[in-house]
Amino acid sequence: MSAVLPRVSPRRFRTSRRTAFLALLAMTGGLLFATQQPAAAGANLVKNPGFETPGADAMPYCWERSGWGDNDFSFDTVADAHSGTAALRVALTRRTEGDRKALITESAECAPAVVPERQYDLSLWYRSTTPDAAITLFRHDTTAGWQYWTDLKTLDLSAGYQRAEVRTPVIPPGTDRITWGVSVYGTGSVTTDDYVMEEVAPPPVEPECTGTAEECANGRWQVLPTENPVRSMHSVVLHNGKVLLIAGSGNDPEMFAAGTFTSAVYDPADGSYRTVPTPDDMFCSGHVQLSDGRVLVMSGNKGYPSADGTVGYQGFKDSYVFDPATETYTRTNDMNDGHWYPSATIMGNGDVMSFGGLREDSSGSVTAERWSAAQDKWLPMGQVNQTWSYWGLYPSMILMQDGRLFYSGSHVFGNGTPGTGSSVYDYDANTVTEIPGLQNKDERDQSASVLLPPAQDQRVLTIGGGNIDSNPEANRLTDLIDLKQPNPRYTPGPLLPQGTVDLGNGPQPQTGAQGKMYGSAVLLPDGKVLETGGALHNRANPVYESSLFDPVTDTFDPVAVDPEARGYHSSAFLLPDGRVMTTGDNPGNGSWNHQVSLYTPPYLLKGPRPRITSLIDNQWLYGDTQRITVDRPIAKAELIRPAAVTHSSDPNQRFVDLPLSVDGNNVDLNVTSNPNLAPPGWYMLFAVDANGVPSVAEWVHLGGPPALAGQAAESAHVHDFAGELAKSPEKPRKKRTSAPVSPRVAGCDRHYGSANVCVPTVFPETVRGGTKAATTKARCDWLAANDYGRLKVNGGDDPLRLDPDGDGVACGKGDLRRRS
């Protein structure tokens, strides 16, 4: 993407000003920051840093105009200089959307050359009459050309000149030049002068292996001695460092009939569990962390499928909040519809959007729900925009930097949505626009999707998947999409590494195109993604494979493997100490894995960890500069939103980069001004050294008072990404009550066994013998190999021909003697 962006028509951005209180805070912080001294003292790589040499088009030599949107602006060389005789002023007198930038010219003659894997300190002097200004960075990729990289620092209001300094992230491979300058995205003016860019001396990189060579390369797993006491398929990392594990009835119809619903709180500090009274069956509910740290839990299981398979799962309208301080649930007002398996995405203003799932009558819910952060309740349907779309079950809806939602195509059960299987949903315009490129969109059932580190890059990775209805072998496919592009589309990513799969005779190497569904993807503080767990078929055949995905190189690196099966109803999530915890596994025979595993990534075996020795304030506002001290040099810092994961899905998981300004062991962290990049709430703050070794996290709260958070959302620096989508937006459908959904939505034939047992409606192809129908013996052999045990036939129907002798028991001796 070129730094010079076209003028485009307005979409829906609202202009507003921050309160005088926020401006006062910003000016105070700016005066404190003005005393910061540069960490580097090398040659200045900026040509014409003080604008003393004139150039073409009424701009100084080696400087150019840039920007986009509907606004009135001016660029002027003025005599109001910090030093010398010239300075550059950018002013906006009217703005509906967009920004204007003064940047170093994108050319080999002017743009500073850089070295990959190095960092650079940038500084300038400025004065500003608007709080809506930021230092913005572009990079030149030797293959793709010039493209926006990131915003580095929000500039405070300042009547007089003050100095701003910030360090770039590590230069990515393939980058040979960068350009940077100041973006103005609110009415007012910013005058700048005396730009400096200096290379930071690379720190010594001497990792010290503290484990075996194998562990230092691939990490290690530990199965904990204490089992998880509940059948939990929902895992939420709380801002006190504990973990909420929600089971409800735990996919156990006997517990449901008895009204026995459970949750537990796990404390990693001492390995203890506390069972928590649970008021409703939150089995397969939705959940999200609110901006104040409470957990909103929506819907759940009103009823299991009927024995004859004519009625499916049913979702209720109930909703609760869990308070980490008291470890209790409190009921909220009801949702407008039932939603078994709903999505849950927190928005930039703290509201929550929820879509999909099954209604109280087992049909598909087409009702969009919105939780109001200001009113602390679900809004009435008439106050929520509706497209009457059926998004399926646990649709992965990821918040984009402009407030729209990207539906990645990851979902649960069966086929993807009609069309391309992926789309952008614009709540304000109430439109859905298809996004192309997702491979095998109808075999992405229980794939994992994640917004890659850092969130500022706006790239999404989708991993694996299958289809419970047709039950093929799960695939190795991955897909990548760059939402910064004007017309983004998925492109194929690298194939998933293969591990071993247990087909009933113990783990054997995967072959051909065998991949996995039910996998988990976890953001790590070194900027990589751990993908782990999974299975080859519908609730069967666990896959033992884990790898690290590197978003810088778009490659997978196989690592140590969780020794426990982690398929359906498993979870994996990051703990504040930098380890990853995995729980659960619920194969089709109805059993449950109560073992808990902990993964120690390689970065924790590379010698001493950096330590955050002081944190001045754990209450952060958007656009803040926050100071920490560390005990050794660090290369980066970030905020990671704690997990709220189930069924391979956590659309709120995100890693937000915090550009640095370094003065010895004092480090100033620059917080994004855009709440859509980092929705309000509690985050884990990690400091990471040059070897990728992270500190233990400190907890910080981002947001501030609700009024300020709302104004920040309105005045955020939104970039012109995904603004030229090729497909026409779809307008709302005709109003309807629900969408038809088969009662066999779970891919299980309820004519056999109990409701928590999943005899597959379609057996794997190896059992079917290719295109031929599977014999009774082949089906029964598969069920025996997967430990299904004795299965009662429910009613008189035997659609899978498992009971040819008609004695009411599937796969008995008489059944196997009869020809079938």
Side-chain angles (χ1 to χ4, degrees):
M1 178 187 294
S2 171
V4 181
L5 298 172
R7 190 179 184 92
V8 298
S9 60
R11 285 203 293 268
R12 61 202 169 280
F13 197 88
R14 298 195 300 271
T15 303
S16 69
R17 305 300 297 158
R18 297 183 189 177
T19 62
F21 173 65
L22 181 58
L24 178 61
L25 286 177
M27 292 183 67
T28 305
L31 293 173
L32 291 172
F33 181 65
T35 64
Q36 177 85 3
Q37 296 301 310
N44 185 3
L45 302 178
V46 179
K47 290 186 178 180
N48 197 21
F51 311 113
E52 301 298 318
T53 304
D57 196 25
M59 288 291 286
Y61 169 66
C62 275
W63 292 85
E64 67 181 7
R65 301 178 179 90
S66 179
W68 71 282
D70 180 13
N71 47 70
D72 295 334
F73 59 90
S74 62
F75 292 81
D76 299 291
T77 303
V78 298
D80 179 21
H82 172 257
S83 69
T85 61
L88 188 61
R89 183 176 64 201
V90 181
L92 268 64
T93 54
R94 180 194 64 83
R95 177 186 177 280
T96 300
E97 66 170 359
D99 64 33
R100 294 296 149 179
K101 312 176 186 73
L103 296 173
I104 299 171
T105 303
E106 294 178 339
S107 69
E109 178 183 0
C110 297
V114 292
V115 178
E117 300 185 4
R118 297 286 180 87
Q119 291 180 278
Y120 295 81
D121 279 333
L122 314 179
S123 67
L124 56 87
W125 289 85
Y126 79 96
R127 56 195 308 171
S128 174
T129 65
T130 175
D132 298 324
I135 297 176
T136 299
L137 180 62
F138 288 74
R139 70 181 188 90
H140 183 260
D141 187 280
T142 54
T143 300
W146 283 102
Q147 52 194 264
Y148 167 80
W149 187 1
T150 189
D151 283 356
L152 290 174
K153 178 179 177 60
T154 301
L155 300 180
D156 303 323
L157 285 163
S158 181
Y161 271 104
Q162 67 168 296
R163 186 171 180 272
E165 179 187 13
V166 66
R167 182 164 293 181
T168 70
V170 174
I171 303 296
T175 303
D176 60 354
R177 295 182 182 275
I178 65 172
T179 181
W180 56 286
V182 172
S183 301
V184 181
Y185 52 95
T187 54
S189 67
V190 178
T191 305
T192 60
D193 199 4
D194 295 335
Y195 284 64
V196 176
M197 174 176 165
E198 300 167 308
E199 184 176 328
V200 177
V205 180
E206 298 177 358
E208 174 189 345
C209 178
T210 59
T212 66
E214 172 68 19
E215 290 172 338
C216 291
N218 297 319
R220 63 176 177 236
W221 288 88
Q222 172 192 10
V223 179
L224 297 183
T226 304
E227 293 186 345
N228 179 0
V230 301
R231 294 165 59 106
S232 61
M233 70 284 293
H234 307 275
S235 304
V236 185
V237 178
L238 307 172
H239 70 271
N240 56 14
K242 298 180 181 180
V243 182
L244 173 64
L245 301 166
I246 304 174
S249 64
N251 199 16
D252 185 336
E254 293 183 2
M255 292 183 69
F256 179 82
T260 303
F261 309 131
T262 59
S263 302
V265 174
Y266 170 70
D267 187 349
D270 59 13
S272 64
Y273 292 87
R274 177 179 178 270
T275 304
V276 175
T278 305
D280 221 330
D281 189 6
M282 297 173 181
F283 159 52
C284 294
S285 61
H287 41 69
V288 65
Q289 303 200 50
L290 298 173
S291 57
D292 60 7
R294 294 176 301 155
V295 180
L296 177 64
V297 183
M298 62 207 70
S299 193
N301 180 40
K302 182 181 179 182
Y304 280 84
S306 61
D308 61 3
T310 59
V311 178
Y313 285 100
Q314 305 120 57
F316 52 60
K317 300 178 181 180
D318 303 8
S319 167
Y320 297 83
V321 290
F322 178 83
D323 187 340
T326 61
E327 297 185 353
T328 57
Y329 291 98
T330 303
R331 187 160 179 173
T332 73
N333 68 318
D334 286 351
M335 306 176 82
N336 295 295
D337 202 2
H339 298 273
W340 185 74
Y341 277 63
S343 72
T345 303
I346 189 167
M347 308 297 283
N349 67 349
D351 285 6
V352 173
M353 292 299 304
S354 181
F355 304 88
L358 299 184
R359 305 175 71 237
E360 292 176 306
D361 63 0
S362 299
S363 62
S365 176
V366 297
T367 302
E369 307 270 5
R370 185 158 190 145
W371 171 271
S372 168
Q375 300 178 53
D376 206 38
K377 71 174 187 178
W378 294 103
L379 294 177
M381 187 184 298
Q383 297 179 23
V384 183
N385 291 343
Q386 302 289 336
T387 64
W388 312 112
S389 302
Y390 178 54
W391 295 93
L393 307 182
Y394 285 137
S396 179
M397 310 290 280
I398 297 172
L399 180 65
M400 297 168 60
Q401 61 93 36
D402 62 0
R404 291 178 290 174
L405 292 173
F406 173 61
Y407 170 50
S408 71
S410 288
H411 64 283
V412 172
F413 295 165
N415 293 343
T417 55
T420 63
S422 176
S423 54
V424 167
Y425 171 62
D426 186 330
Y427 178 83
D428 292 335
N430 204 31
T431 58
V432 179
T433 307
E434 288 190 352
I435 299 296
L438 182 65
Q439 301 175 88
N440 289 23
K441 66 98 176 175
D442 287 334
E443 294 186 13
R444 308 319 286 267
D445 177 354
Q446 283 172 108
S447 58
S449 290
V450 67
L451 183 65
L452 289 170
Q456 286 91 333
D457 281 358
Q458 294 287 279
R459 297 176 72 225
V460 174
L461 170 70
T462 298
I463 300 172
N467 187 313
I468 280 177
D469 292 340
S470 57
N471 209 12
E473 291 185 336
N475 62 71
R476 300 177 62 191
L477 300 177
T478 73
D479 295 273
L480 290 161
I481 189 167
D482 183 354
L483 297 172
K484 298 190 302 298
Q485 298 302 313
N487 181 30
R489 61 176 294 130
Y490 268 117
T491 57
L495 292 177
L496 272 173
Q498 291 179 307
T500 61
V501 57
D502 189 344
L503 296 173
N505 297 310
Q508 301 293 325
Q510 288 186 288
T511 60
Q514 290 178 337
K516 60 183 178 179
M517 59 195 300
Y518 308 124
S520 293
V522 182
L523 302 182
L524 301 179
D526 66 349
K528 296 180 181 178
V529 181
L530 174 71
E531 63 82 16
T532 186
L536 189 62
H537 289 110
N538 177 13
R539 295 182 64 178
N541 308 132
V543 172
Y544 298 89
E545 183 275 332
S546 301
S547 61
L548 296 175
F549 180 80
D550 187 343
V552 176
T553 60
D554 288 345
T555 56
F556 286 100
D557 178 22
V559 294
V561 176
D562 189 345
E564 296 292 327
R566 301 293 181 202
Y568 187 61
H569 285 158
S570 67
S571 295
F573 45 91
L574 179 70
L575 296 175
D577 65 5
R579 295 180 298 171
V580 174
M581 181 171 170
T582 62
T583 68
D585 181 51
N586 183 199
N589 59 29
S591 63
W592 194 278
N593 187 350
H594 287 271
Q595 298 291 340
V596 175
S597 302
L598 282 179
Y599 178 60
T600 299
Y603 54 60
L604 293 181
L605 301 169
K606 293 183 178 180
R609 307 177 67 166
R611 187 165 58 92
I612 300 173
T613 56
S614 73
L615 174 66
I616 293 176
D617 187 2
N618 71 348
Q619 298 292 321
W620 292 11
L621 294 175
Y622 293 101
D624 263 356
T625 297
Q626 287 285 347
R627 174 162 289 189
I628 63 172
T629 58
V630 291
D631 66 346
R632 58 173 55 93
I634 63 171
K636 63 181 177 182
E638 73 271 346
L639 299 177
I640 297 183
R641 193 171 185 92
V645 61
T646 187
H647 293 76
S648 304
S649 180
D650 185 359
N652 300 290
Q653 188 179 191
R654 56 187 55 214
F655 173 121
V656 183
D657 183 48
L658 298 171
L660 314 174
S661 304
V662 180
D663 180 12
N665 286 348
N666 295 320
V667 181
D668 288 318
L669 307 176
N670 297 288
V671 185
T672 179
S673 67
N674 188 348
N676 295 323
L677 287 176
W682 285 93
Y683 287 81
M684 293 180 283
L685 166 65
F686 290 96
V688 184
D689 72 13
N691 292 322
V693 181
S695 66
V696 173
E698 296 283 347
W699 288 96
V700 299
H701 184 265
L702 180 58
L708 295 184
Q711 290 172 356
E714 292 180 354
S715 63
H717 190 196
V718 173
H719 291 271
D720 186 28
F721 298 165
E724 300 174 19
L725 302 181
K727 294 222 172 189
S728 298
E730 300 172 5
K731 294 183 179 179
R733 297 167 175 257
K734 184 178 180 181
K735 183 176 179 180
R736 55 180 177 161
T737 302
S738 64
V741 174
S742 168
R744 297 182 179 181
V745 66
C748 307
D749 197 315
R750 303 297 176 189
H751 291 88
Y752 309 95
S754 60
N756 68 325
V757 171
C758 181
V759 174
T761 304
V762 177
F763 279 71
E765 186 175 351
T766 53
V767 181
R768 301 196 301 267
T771 59
K772 298 178 181 179
T775 64
T776 294
K777 183 178 185 308
R779 290 189 179 109
C780 290
D781 286 348
W782 187 90
L783 291 169
N786 286 276
D787 300 320
Y788 274 75
R790 186 177 187 274
L791 294 172
K792 178 184 176 183
V793 180
N794 301 312
D797 292 334
D798 180 20
L800 297 177
R801 295 166 58 215
L802 300 180
D803 185 28
D805 67 2
D807 67 352
V809 178
C811 298
K813 291 182 179 180
D815 301 320
L816 301 180
R817 284 196 299 266
R818 294 176 65 92
R819 294 180 60 85
S820 58

